[in-house]
Amino acid sequence: MLVIAAHPAETAQLPPEADVVLTGIGMSRAAAVTARAVLERAPSPAERRGLRVVNLGSCGGLRPGLLGVCEPSEILNRDVDADLMRAMGSDPDDLIRLSELGQTGDGSVLATGDSLVAGGPVRDALAERAHLVDMEGFAVATACRELGVSLRVAKHVSDDADSQALEWLERVQISARELAAWYRAHHHELVSGAPADAASNPPEDEA
């Protein structure tokens, strides 16, 4: 089992024996570092079938009432103008259904992009498409899908993706504690590769 996270503060309370790789902030680094870490541990396709990646991190909540740890069912690339690209005749790869990678999820949609969402029209528009927002999830999922590795995604809602997002350094300590508790509670099924149950914090409405 390989744990992928963006920032050391997010995994600060995991057990010391956990195999943790930190990607840094943003999609490009997350995709590259995840792929490298997977290939270092499982160079062949046969070996990769026995590896499970767990992506832990904090996220912003876009809908009222979202608290605690969420396990999304879908991840979208919020930096892609998919409608425009389809109008031009392209078929953008902007959505990953995590069921393809072994995660049932709680019905929520996670939107990933390289910019920090801290309120305003961007947040309002994004809330119509997704429940959660982060900066690495889609990239980690893309790397796992391309390499044929199963993936479990667990994100703790640290803020409301509004003015609270600017207080991330203070709020991430809570996320670290809650993510460590989730990791301990699910450790057996993560190691065994048992099917992921839906998380305990499903969205109140569908995206």
Side-chain angles (χ1 to χ4, degrees), residues 109-152:
V109 177
L110 172 66
T112 300
D114 276 315
S115 58
L116 178 67
V117 177
V122 172
R123 183 195 185 281
D124 295 341
L126 198 56
E128 297 179 3
R129 305 168 58 202
H131 302 85
L132 310 164
V133 60
D134 82 338
M135 299 176 70
E136 294 82 29
F138 185 88
V140 174
T142 297
C144 289
R145 184 181 60 180
E146 293 299 313
L147 293 173
V149 179
S150 66
L151 174 65
R152 187 84 174 263

Side-chain angles (χ1 to χ4, degrees), residues 3-183:
V3 177
I4 297 288
H7 193 281
E10 295 172 313
T11 60
Q13 298 191 36
L14 290 184
E17 65 272 15
D19 183 8
V20 177
V21 170
L22 301 174
T23 67
I25 304 297
M27 292 179 67
S28 298
R29 283 194 53 82
V33 173
T34 299
R36 182 179 64 195
V38 167
L39 291 172
E40 287 174 347
R41 287 156 180 78
S44 72
E47 291 173 309
R48 292 197 288 275
R49 285 195 291 270
L51 178 66
R52 167 163 285 201
V53 172
V54 181
N55 178 213
L56 300 181
S58 60
C59 69
L62 297 170
R63 309 276 182 92
L66 285 173
L67 302 169
V69 177
C70 297
E71 295 183 43
S73 297
E74 298 180 344
I75 309 181
L76 61 86
N77 182 347
R78 58 183 169 90
D79 287 340
V80 172
D81 190 334
D83 291 338
L84 178 59
M85 292 182 68
R86 291 188 179 99
M88 296 171 60
S90 297
D91 186 17
D93 183 16
D94 65 321
L95 177 69
I96 295 177
R97 292 178 174 83
L98 289 174
S99 58
E100 301 172 17
L101 302 177
Q103 173 158 315
T104 302
D106 57 20
S108 62
V109 177
L110 172 66
T112 300
D114 276 315
S115 58
L116 178 67
V117 177
V122 172
R123 183 195 185 281
D124 295 341
L126 198 56
E128 297 179 3
R129 305 168 58 202
H131 302 85
L132 310 164
V133 60
D134 82 338
M135 299 176 70
E136 294 82 29
F138 185 88
V140 174
T142 297
C144 289
R145 184 181 60 180
E146 293 299 313
L147 293 173
V149 179
S150 66
L151 174 65
R152 187 84 174 263
V153 179
K155 300 287 180 173
H156 180 261
V157 181
S158 62
D159 56 76
D160 62 4
D162 205 330
S163 59
Q164 290 179 347
L166 303 179
E167 304 168 1
W168 183 83
L169 283 176
E170 292 76 31
R171 292 176 173 272
V172 72
Q173 307 305 320
I174 299 172
S175 293
R177 184 177 69 243
E178 295 298 319
L179 290 168
W182 179 93
Y183 180 88

